[in-house]
Amino acid sequence: MKKILLSTLPFLALAACAGGEKEVPVAVRIANATPAVSVTARGETTPVGTANADAADDPAIWRNAADPAQSLIVGTDKKAGLYVYGLDGKTRDFLDAGQVNNVDLRDHVAIGGNEGILVVASDRNDRAHAKLALFRLDPANAKLTALGKIDAGEGEAYGLCLSRQEDAIHAFIVLKDGTIHQVALDTSAATPAGRIVRSLKLGTQSEGCAVDDRTGTLYVAEEDVGLWRFDARAGGSTEPVKIADADGKNLVADAEGVAIAPIGEKDGYVIVSSQGDNAYVAYRIGDDSYAGRFRIVDGAIGGAEETDGIDLMLGDFGPDYPGGLFIAQDGHNAAAAQNFKLVAWDDIARALGLAE
């Protein structure tokens, strides 16, 4: 699909800021940033149902270990609800859940006495009172079933990521002001419950997050500041450690979605959406060093721009996605509504020269 021409972006960016502080045009931000390698998507989802709006936001991947090509993607339309897609990009289900912003999932979770796939979304239908919306995903028919909602503190729900800890599944809900509540979930009964076990804080608007369960590390993107990590354990330190500044070079504000590529017992990469210049940045897990940048450009399928949410899972996803699957929200999907682009992890790793 055709994209908005790069030559028009400076005028669009400046027009959007008329009457206020002028924003640096996208073309200038791209020119000033560290060079990025190019990859192309191998697939895309059907657009979300909300047209002419910033609507698609965040994806989550469920890998079908028995038949990887039959894996599923859950994606948010933050104006309307949750979609379930197949790897062919076709819509398998839609559930009207209202304004759900970010989403994550975990498999093999006790849900009402039966093991299943737990899907959790940040619910901001009430902007003053954050909630977690819980669902069960049935892999046999790709249907979502609402389980209920859990209070998650005062403020606007924004980012969301899950962690599997010794006692329970924990949800990290990132409020728009940078407050992060860690909520221990109890899904064993018919009605789910949860309690805030501790709170963390960043100074300004934050959203994207991901947890590396191997190392017990929570990664959070503070949009205009940079990428941070916390100890994800309920009894761990609440002090953040900065991994990278949004310096306009490697990471260009807004810093948005966060995803993890775990390799071995403690190595791999954390990926963050460098929304300000339509790129994605990889940092090495362990020493937090910069590993490279890439963009999803137009090919047989359109590229991705102004990406909010991302997700990544390594492993076999069938012949179209060897090595793993990377998914990025596309903020400019030509004349259609926003959607999600699907990229093979092998294509990214090869372009960046990353270790496997």
PDB file of all heavy atoms in Angstrom, residues 292-328:
ATOM      1  N   GLY A 292      21.687  -1.767  17.692  1.00  0.00           N
ATOM      2  CA  GLY A 292      21.331  -1.418  16.325  1.00  0.00           C
ATOM      3  C   GLY A 292      19.919  -0.884  16.196  1.00  0.00           C
ATOM      4  O   GLY A 292      19.136  -0.909  17.150  1.00  0.00           O
ATOM      5  N   ARG A 293      19.615  -0.400  14.986  1.00  0.00           N
ATOM      6  CA  ARG A 293      18.307   0.180  14.696  1.00  0.00           C
ATOM      7  C   ARG A 293      17.805  -0.368  13.374  1.00  0.00           C
ATOM      8  O   ARG A 293      18.585  -0.637  12.468  1.00  0.00           O
ATOM      9  CB  ARG A 293      18.393   1.712  14.579  1.00  0.00           C
ATOM     10  CG  ARG A 293      19.077   2.397  15.722  1.00  0.00           C
ATOM     11  CD  ARG A 293      19.228   3.903  15.487  1.00  0.00           C
ATOM     12  NE  ARG A 293      18.006   4.615  15.773  1.00  0.00           N
ATOM     13  CZ  ARG A 293      17.255   5.225  14.884  1.00  0.00           C
ATOM     14  NH1 ARG A 293      17.588   5.222  13.603  1.00  0.00           N
ATOM     15  NH2 ARG A 293      16.152   5.851  15.235  1.00  0.00           N
ATOM     16  N   PHE A 294      16.481  -0.493  13.255  1.00  0.00           N
ATOM     17  CA  PHE A 294      15.908  -0.934  11.987  1.00  0.00           C
ATOM     18  C   PHE A 294      14.581  -0.224  11.751  1.00  0.00           C
ATOM     19  O   PHE A 294      13.964   0.317  12.667  1.00  0.00           O
ATOM     20  CB  PHE A 294      15.728  -2.449  11.951  1.00  0.00           C
ATOM     21  CG  PHE A 294      14.731  -3.017  12.929  1.00  0.00           C
ATOM     22  CD1 PHE A 294      13.423  -3.299  12.556  1.00  0.00           C
ATOM     23  CD2 PHE A 294      15.108  -3.300  14.244  1.00  0.00           C
ATOM     24  CE1 PHE A 294      12.513  -3.831  13.457  1.00  0.00           C
ATOM     25  CE2 PHE A 294      14.201  -3.841  15.155  1.00  0.00           C
ATOM     26  CZ  PHE A 294      12.909  -4.111  14.763  1.00  0.00           C
ATOM     27  N   ARG A 295      14.188  -0.219  10.483  1.00  0.00           N
ATOM     28  CA  ARG A 295      12.876   0.297  10.077  1.00  0.00           C
ATOM     29  C   ARG A 295      12.153  -0.755   9.254  1.00  0.00           C
ATOM     30  O   ARG A 295      12.775  -1.555   8.560  1.00  0.00           O
ATOM     31  CB  ARG A 295      13.011   1.569   9.232  1.00  0.00           C
ATOM     32  CG  ARG A 295      13.443   2.794  10.000  1.00  0.00           C
ATOM     33  CD  ARG A 295      13.250   4.077   9.189  1.00  0.00           C
ATOM     34  NE  ARG A 295      13.653   5.230   9.983  1.00  0.00           N
ATOM     35  CZ  ARG A 295      14.875   5.754   9.967  1.00  0.00           C
ATOM     36  NH1 ARG A 295      15.788   5.238   9.170  1.00  0.00           N
ATOM     37  NH2 ARG A 295      15.170   6.774  10.736  1.00  0.00           N
ATOM     38  N   ILE A 296      10.830  -0.725   9.318  1.00  0.00           N
ATOM     39  CA  ILE A 296       9.993  -1.563   8.459  1.00  0.00           C
ATOM     40  C   ILE A 296       9.553  -0.690   7.293  1.00  0.00           C
ATOM     41  O   ILE A 296       8.754   0.238   7.465  1.00  0.00           O
ATOM     42  CB  ILE A 296       8.779  -2.112   9.218  1.00  0.00           C
ATOM     43  CG1 ILE A 296       9.234  -2.881  10.461  1.00  0.00           C
ATOM     44  CG2 ILE A 296       7.954  -3.025   8.309  1.00  0.00           C
ATOM     45  CD1 ILE A 296       8.085  -3.287  11.380  1.00  0.00           C
ATOM     46  N   VAL A 297      10.094  -0.959   6.115  1.00  0.00           N
ATOM     47  CA  VAL A 297       9.868  -0.105   4.949  1.00  0.00           C
ATOM     48  C   VAL A 297       8.919  -0.787   3.972  1.00  0.00           C
ATOM     49  O   VAL A 297       8.625  -1.979   4.084  1.00  0.00           O
ATOM     50  CB  VAL A 297      11.211   0.236   4.268  1.00  0.00           C
ATOM     51  CG1 VAL A 297      12.139   0.974   5.233  1.00  0.00           C
ATOM     52  CG2 VAL A 297      11.896  -1.013   3.726  1.00  0.00           C
ATOM     53  N   ASP A 298       8.462  -0.015   3.000  1.00  0.00           N
ATOM     54  CA  ASP A 298       7.552  -0.552   1.991  1.00  0.00           C
ATOM     55  C   ASP A 298       8.222  -1.661   1.189  1.00  0.00           C
ATOM     56  O   ASP A 298       9.374  -1.542   0.760  1.00  0.00           O
ATOM     57  CB  ASP A 298       7.113   0.552   1.031  1.00  0.00           C
ATOM     58  CG  ASP A 298       6.142   1.524   1.660  1.00  0.00           C
ATOM     59  OD1 ASP A 298       5.692   1.261   2.786  1.00  0.00           O
ATOM     60  OD2 ASP A 298       5.829   2.543   1.018  1.00  0.00           O
ATOM     61  N   GLY A 299       7.483  -2.729   0.987  1.00  0.00           N
ATOM     62  CA  GLY A 299       7.894  -3.822   0.126  1.00  0.00           C
ATOM     63  C   GLY A 299       6.651  -4.352  -0.559  1.00  0.00           C
ATOM     64  O   GLY A 299       5.790  -3.575  -0.989  1.00  0.00           O
ATOM     65  N   ALA A 300       6.524  -5.664  -0.636  1.00  0.00           N
ATOM     66  CA  ALA A 300       5.280  -6.234  -1.158  1.00  0.00           C
ATOM     67  C   ALA A 300       4.111  -5.835  -0.269  1.00  0.00           C
ATOM     68  O   ALA A 300       2.967  -5.709  -0.722  1.00  0.00           O
ATOM     69  CB  ALA A 300       5.405  -7.756  -1.231  1.00  0.00           C
ATOM     70  N   ILE A 301       4.418  -5.621   0.996  1.00  0.00           N
ATOM     71  CA  ILE A 301       3.455  -5.108   1.977  1.00  0.00           C
ATOM     72  C   ILE A 301       3.993  -3.778   2.480  1.00  0.00           C
ATOM     73  O   ILE A 301       5.210  -3.578   2.550  1.00  0.00           O
ATOM     74  CB  ILE A 301       3.291  -6.114   3.131  1.00  0.00           C
ATOM     75  CG1 ILE A 301       2.574  -7.364   2.610  1.00  0.00           C
ATOM     76  CG2 ILE A 301       2.531  -5.514   4.312  1.00  0.00           C
ATOM     77  CD1 ILE A 301       2.569  -8.513   3.553  1.00  0.00           C
ATOM     78  N   GLY A 302       3.101  -2.861   2.820  1.00  0.00           N
ATOM     79  CA  GLY A 302       3.531  -1.544   3.265  1.00  0.00           C
ATOM     80  C   GLY A 302       4.361  -1.595   4.534  1.00  0.00           C
ATOM     81  O   GLY A 302       4.332  -2.577   5.293  1.00  0.00           O
ATOM     82  N   GLY A 303       5.097  -0.533   4.772  1.00  0.00           N
ATOM     83  CA  GLY A 303       5.918  -0.439   5.963  1.00  0.00           C
ATOM     84  C   GLY A 303       5.108  -0.024   7.184  1.00  0.00           C
ATOM     85  O   GLY A 303       3.878  -0.081   7.187  1.00  0.00           O
ATOM     86  N   ALA A 304       5.820   0.377   8.234  1.00  0.00           N
ATOM     87  CA  ALA A 304       5.160   0.804   9.473  1.00  0.00           C
ATOM     88  C   ALA A 304       5.729   2.144   9.909  1.00  0.00           C
ATOM     89  O   ALA A 304       6.941   2.353   9.870  1.00  0.00           O
ATOM     90  CB  ALA A 304       5.358  -0.237  10.570  1.00  0.00           C
ATOM     91  N   GLU A 305       4.853   3.040  10.324  1.00  0.00           N
ATOM     92  CA  GLU A 305       5.249   4.379  10.763  1.00  0.00           C
ATOM     93  C   GLU A 305       4.538   4.725  12.062  1.00  0.00           C
ATOM     94  O   GLU A 305       3.444   4.232  12.333  1.00  0.00           O
ATOM     95  CB  GLU A 305       4.892   5.416   9.685  1.00  0.00           C
ATOM     96  CG  GLU A 305       5.624   5.192   8.366  1.00  0.00           C
ATOM     97  CD  GLU A 305       5.039   6.024   7.241  1.00  0.00           C
ATOM     98  OE1 GLU A 305       3.821   6.291   7.252  1.00  0.00           O
ATOM     99  OE2 GLU A 305       5.803   6.389   6.334  1.00  0.00           O
ATOM    100  N   GLU A 306       5.178   5.592  12.842  1.00  0.00           N
ATOM    101  CA  GLU A 306       4.601   6.086  14.107  1.00  0.00           C
ATOM    102  C   GLU A 306       4.061   4.946  14.971  1.00  0.00           C
ATOM    103  O   GLU A 306       2.935   4.979  15.459  1.00  0.00           O
ATOM    104  CB  GLU A 306       3.522   7.128  13.830  1.00  0.00           C
ATOM    105  CG  GLU A 306       4.085   8.393  13.198  1.00  0.00           C
ATOM    106  CD  GLU A 306       3.092   9.537  13.160  1.00  0.00           C
ATOM    107  OE1 GLU A 306       1.982   9.388  13.713  1.00  0.00           O
ATOM    108  OE2 GLU A 306       3.424  10.581  12.584  1.00  0.00           O
ATOM    109  N   THR A 307       4.900   3.933  15.160  1.00  0.00           N
ATOM    110  CA  THR A 307       4.469   2.730  15.874  1.00  0.00           C
ATOM    111  C   THR A 307       4.295   2.970  17.362  1.00  0.00           C
ATOM    112  O   THR A 307       5.190   3.474  18.031  1.00  0.00           O
ATOM    113  CB  THR A 307       5.476   1.588  15.646  1.00  0.00           C
ATOM    114  OG1 THR A 307       5.447   1.215  14.269  1.00  0.00           O
ATOM    115  CG2 THR A 307       5.137   0.380  16.503  1.00  0.00           C
ATOM    116  N   ASP A 308       3.145   2.549  17.866  1.00  0.00           N
ATOM    117  CA  ASP A 308       2.887   2.520  19.309  1.00  0.00           C
ATOM    118  C   ASP A 308       3.358   1.171  19.861  1.00  0.00           C
ATOM    119  O   ASP A 308       4.482   1.015  20.276  1.00  0.00           O
ATOM    120  CB  ASP A 308       1.401   2.734  19.592  1.00  0.00           C
ATOM    121  CG  ASP A 308       0.987   4.184  19.449  1.00  0.00           C
ATOM    122  OD1 ASP A 308       1.745   5.059  19.866  1.00  0.00           O
ATOM    123  OD2 ASP A 308      -0.112   4.438  18.922  1.00  0.00           O
ATOM    124  N   GLY A 309       2.465   0.182  19.887  1.00  0.00           N
ATOM    125  CA  GLY A 309       2.783  -1.087  20.505  1.00  0.00           C
ATOM    126  C   GLY A 309       3.523  -2.040  19.593  1.00  0.00           C
ATOM    127  O   GLY A 309       3.331  -2.046  18.369  1.00  0.00           O
ATOM    128  N   ILE A 310       4.393  -2.863  20.203  1.00  0.00           N
ATOM    129  CA  ILE A 310       5.088  -3.932  19.495  1.00  0.00           C
ATOM    130  C   ILE A 310       5.036  -5.188  20.353  1.00  0.00           C
ATOM    131  O   ILE A 310       4.824  -5.136  21.557  1.00  0.00           O
ATOM    132  CB  ILE A 310       6.559  -3.580  19.181  1.00  0.00           C
ATOM    133  CG1 ILE A 310       7.358  -3.322  20.473  1.00  0.00           C
ATOM    134  CG2 ILE A 310       6.637  -2.388  18.245  1.00  0.00           C
ATOM    135  CD1 ILE A 310       8.847  -3.070  20.250  1.00  0.00           C
ATOM    136  N   ASP A 311       5.254  -6.346  19.723  1.00  0.00           N
ATOM    137  CA  ASP A 311       5.471  -7.582  20.459  1.00  0.00           C
ATOM    138  C   ASP A 311       6.411  -8.449  19.651  1.00  0.00           C
ATOM    139  O   ASP A 311       6.551  -8.292  18.422  1.00  0.00           O
ATOM    140  CB  ASP A 311       4.157  -8.325  20.734  1.00  0.00           C
ATOM    141  CG  ASP A 311       4.299  -9.351  21.857  1.00  0.00           C
ATOM    142  OD1 ASP A 311       5.296  -9.280  22.616  1.00  0.00           O
ATOM    143  OD2 ASP A 311       3.417 -10.223  21.992  1.00  0.00           O
ATOM    144  N   LEU A 312       7.067  -9.367  20.352  1.00  0.00           N
ATOM    145  CA  LEU A 312       8.075 -10.213  19.732  1.00  0.00           C
ATOM    146  C   LEU A 312       8.104 -11.536  20.469  1.00  0.00           C
ATOM    147  O   LEU A 312       8.095 -11.570  21.703  1.00  0.00           O
ATOM    148  CB  LEU A 312       9.451  -9.534  19.808  1.00  0.00           C
ATOM    149  CG  LEU A 312      10.685 -10.364  19.453  1.00  0.00           C
ATOM    150  CD1 LEU A 312      10.624 -10.861  18.026  1.00  0.00           C
ATOM    151  CD2 LEU A 312      11.950  -9.529  19.674  1.00  0.00           C
ATOM    152  N   MET A 313       8.129 -12.626  19.713  1.00  0.00           N
ATOM    153  CA  MET A 313       8.315 -13.946  20.309  1.00  0.00           C
ATOM    154  C   MET A 313       9.222 -14.755  19.399  1.00  0.00           C
ATOM    155  O   MET A 313       8.995 -14.831  18.183  1.00  0.00           O
ATOM    156  CB  MET A 313       6.974 -14.660  20.506  1.00  0.00           C
ATOM    157  CG  MET A 313       7.118 -16.012  21.201  1.00  0.00           C
ATOM    158  SD  MET A 313       5.520 -16.773  21.606  1.00  0.00           S
ATOM    159  CE  MET A 313       5.005 -15.738  22.969  1.00  0.00           C
ATOM    160  N   LEU A 314      10.268 -15.330  19.985  1.00  0.00           N
ATOM    161  CA  LEU A 314      11.176 -16.170  19.217  1.00  0.00           C
ATOM    162  C   LEU A 314      10.633 -17.588  19.132  1.00  0.00           C
ATOM    163  O   LEU A 314       9.785 -17.995  19.923  1.00  0.00           O
ATOM    164  CB  LEU A 314      12.570 -16.170  19.865  1.00  0.00           C
ATOM    165  CG  LEU A 314      13.241 -14.813  20.050  1.00  0.00           C
ATOM    166  CD1 LEU A 314      14.699 -15.004  20.460  1.00  0.00           C
ATOM    167  CD2 LEU A 314      13.147 -13.951  18.807  1.00  0.00           C
ATOM    168  N   GLY A 315      11.131 -18.342  18.161  1.00  0.00           N
ATOM    169  CA  GLY A 315      10.682 -19.713  17.972  1.00  0.00           C
ATOM    170  C   GLY A 315      10.066 -19.899  16.599  1.00  0.00           C
ATOM    171  O   GLY A 315       9.912 -18.953  15.815  1.00  0.00           O
ATOM    172  N   ASP A 316       9.702 -21.109  16.292  1.00  0.00           N
ATOM    173  CA  ASP A 316       9.139 -21.458  14.998  1.00  0.00           C
ATOM    174  C   ASP A 316       7.696 -20.969  14.891  1.00  0.00           C
ATOM    175  O   ASP A 316       6.852 -21.308  15.722  1.00  0.00           O
ATOM    176  CB  ASP A 316       9.193 -22.976  14.823  1.00  0.00           C
ATOM    177  CG  ASP A 316       8.545 -23.445  13.542  1.00  0.00           C
ATOM    178  OD1 ASP A 316       8.428 -22.641  12.595  1.00  0.00           O
ATOM    179  OD2 ASP A 316       8.142 -24.619  13.481  1.00  0.00           O
ATOM    180  N   PHE A 317       7.430 -20.183  13.864  1.00  0.00           N
ATOM    181  CA  PHE A 317       6.067 -19.757  13.555  1.00  0.00           C
ATOM    182  C   PHE A 317       5.671 -20.199  12.148  1.00  0.00           C
ATOM    183  O   PHE A 317       4.862 -19.557  11.494  1.00  0.00           O
ATOM    184  CB  PHE A 317       5.928 -18.240  13.697  1.00  0.00           C
ATOM    185  CG  PHE A 317       5.760 -17.782  15.119  1.00  0.00           C
ATOM    186  CD1 PHE A 317       6.861 -17.570  15.923  1.00  0.00           C
ATOM    187  CD2 PHE A 317       4.500 -17.602  15.669  1.00  0.00           C
ATOM    188  CE1 PHE A 317       6.724 -17.157  17.240  1.00  0.00           C
ATOM    189  CE2 PHE A 317       4.342 -17.197  16.990  1.00  0.00           C
ATOM    190  CZ  PHE A 317       5.458 -16.968  17.770  1.00  0.00           C
ATOM    191  N   GLY A 318       6.248 -21.285  11.685  1.00  0.00           N
ATOM    192  CA  GLY A 318       5.947 -21.759  10.350  1.00  0.00           C
ATOM    193  C   GLY A 318       6.894 -21.177   9.319  1.00  0.00           C
ATOM    194  O   GLY A 318       7.757 -20.348   9.630  1.00  0.00           O
ATOM    195  N   PRO A 319       6.744 -21.562   8.067  1.00  0.00           N
ATOM    196  CA  PRO A 319       7.706 -21.176   7.025  1.00  0.00           C
ATOM    197  C   PRO A 319       7.765 -19.686   6.736  1.00  0.00           C
ATOM    198  O   PRO A 319       8.795 -19.196   6.267  1.00  0.00           O
ATOM    199  CB  PRO A 319       7.220 -21.954   5.793  1.00  0.00           C
ATOM    200  CG  PRO A 319       5.779 -22.267   6.075  1.00  0.00           C
ATOM    201  CD  PRO A 319       5.691 -22.464   7.548  1.00  0.00           C
ATOM    202  N   ASP A 320       6.705 -18.947   7.024  1.00  0.00           N
ATOM    203  CA  ASP A 320       6.713 -17.515   6.726  1.00  0.00           C
ATOM    204  C   ASP A 320       7.453 -16.695   7.767  1.00  0.00           C
ATOM    205  O   ASP A 320       7.872 -15.561   7.481  1.00  0.00           O
ATOM    206  CB  ASP A 320       5.276 -16.992   6.605  1.00  0.00           C
ATOM    207  CG  ASP A 320       4.575 -17.510   5.369  1.00  0.00           C
ATOM    208  OD1 ASP A 320       5.278 -17.880   4.404  1.00  0.00           O
ATOM    209  OD2 ASP A 320       3.337 -17.559   5.371  1.00  0.00           O
ATOM    210  N   TYR A 321       7.610 -17.241   8.956  1.00  0.00           N
ATOM    211  CA  TYR A 321       8.232 -16.473  10.047  1.00  0.00           C
ATOM    212  C   TYR A 321       9.280 -17.313  10.769  1.00  0.00           C
ATOM    213  O   TYR A 321       9.121 -17.663  11.934  1.00  0.00           O
ATOM    214  CB  TYR A 321       7.150 -15.955  11.008  1.00  0.00           C
ATOM    215  CG  TYR A 321       6.162 -15.071  10.296  1.00  0.00           C
ATOM    216  CD1 TYR A 321       4.916 -15.566   9.896  1.00  0.00           C
ATOM    217  CD2 TYR A 321       6.485 -13.758   9.972  1.00  0.00           C
ATOM    218  CE1 TYR A 321       4.020 -14.758   9.202  1.00  0.00           C
ATOM    219  CE2 TYR A 321       5.598 -12.957   9.271  1.00  0.00           C
ATOM    220  CZ  TYR A 321       4.373 -13.459   8.891  1.00  0.00           C
ATOM    221  OH  TYR A 321       3.489 -12.670   8.195  1.00  0.00           O
ATOM    222  N   PRO A 322      10.367 -17.632  10.078  1.00  0.00           N
ATOM    223  CA  PRO A 322      11.411 -18.442  10.699  1.00  0.00           C
ATOM    224  C   PRO A 322      12.116 -17.672  11.817  1.00  0.00           C
ATOM    225  O   PRO A 322      12.369 -16.486  11.706  1.00  0.00           O
ATOM    226  CB  PRO A 322      12.366 -18.717   9.532  1.00  0.00           C
ATOM    227  CG  PRO A 322      12.163 -17.577   8.583  1.00  0.00           C
ATOM    228  CD  PRO A 322      10.700 -17.237   8.692  1.00  0.00           C
ATOM    229  N   GLY A 323      12.391 -18.371  12.876  1.00  0.00           N
ATOM    230  CA  GLY A 323      13.148 -17.773  13.971  1.00  0.00           C
ATOM    231  C   GLY A 323      12.323 -17.001  14.963  1.00  0.00           C
ATOM    232  O   GLY A 323      12.736 -16.784  16.101  1.00  0.00           O
ATOM    233  N   GLY A 324      11.153 -16.550  14.561  1.00  0.00           N
ATOM    234  CA  GLY A 324      10.323 -15.779  15.469  1.00  0.00           C
ATOM    235  C   GLY A 324       9.477 -14.761  14.734  1.00  0.00           C
ATOM    236  O   GLY A 324       9.613 -14.557  13.518  1.00  0.00           O
ATOM    237  N   LEU A 325       8.593 -14.108  15.478  1.00  0.00           N
ATOM    238  CA  LEU A 325       7.631 -13.165  14.910  1.00  0.00           C
ATOM    239  C   LEU A 325       7.704 -11.837  15.648  1.00  0.00           C
ATOM    240  O   LEU A 325       7.610 -11.796  16.880  1.00  0.00           O
ATOM    241  CB  LEU A 325       6.222 -13.747  15.028  1.00  0.00           C
ATOM    242  CG  LEU A 325       5.047 -12.872  14.591  1.00  0.00           C
ATOM    243  CD1 LEU A 325       5.130 -12.561  13.098  1.00  0.00           C
ATOM    244  CD2 LEU A 325       3.722 -13.566  14.921  1.00  0.00           C
ATOM    245  N   PHE A 326       7.901 -10.755  14.893  1.00  0.00           N
ATOM    246  CA  PHE A 326       7.868  -9.395  15.418  1.00  0.00           C
ATOM    247  C   PHE A 326       6.648  -8.705  14.831  1.00  0.00           C
ATOM    248  O   PHE A 326       6.414  -8.764  13.613  1.00  0.00           O
ATOM    249  CB  PHE A 326       9.141  -8.640  15.021  1.00  0.00           C
ATOM    250  CG  PHE A 326       9.175  -7.193  15.462  1.00  0.00           C
ATOM    251  CD1 PHE A 326       9.541  -6.855  16.755  1.00  0.00           C
ATOM    252  CD2 PHE A 326       8.845  -6.164  14.583  1.00  0.00           C
ATOM    253  CE1 PHE A 326       9.575  -5.530  17.168  1.00  0.00           C
ATOM    254  CE2 PHE A 326       8.883  -4.839  14.983  1.00  0.00           C
ATOM    255  CZ  PHE A 326       9.256  -4.519  16.281  1.00  0.00           C
ATOM    256  N   ILE A 327       5.856  -8.045  15.683  1.00  0.00           N
ATOM    257  CA  ILE A 327       4.641  -7.367  15.235  1.00  0.00           C
ATOM    258  C   ILE A 327       4.700  -5.909  15.663  1.00  0.00           C
ATOM    259  O   ILE A 327       5.048  -5.598  16.803  1.00  0.00           O
ATOM    260  CB  ILE A 327       3.376  -8.021  15.816  1.00  0.00           C
ATOM    261  CG1 ILE A 327       3.326  -9.505  15.445  1.00  0.00           C
ATOM    262  CG2 ILE A 327       2.122  -7.315  15.314  1.00  0.00           C
ATOM    263  CD1 ILE A 327       2.128 -10.224  16.028  1.00  0.00           C
ATOM    264  N   ALA A 328       4.364  -5.014  14.746  1.00  0.00           N
ATOM    265  CA  ALA A 328       4.383  -3.577  15.026  1.00  0.00           C
ATOM    266  C   ALA A 328       3.077  -2.943  14.580  1.00  0.00           C
ATOM    267  O   ALA A 328       2.581  -3.203  13.472  1.00  0.00           O
ATOM    268  CB  ALA A 328       5.547  -2.907  14.300  1.00  0.00           C
TER     269      ALA A 328
END
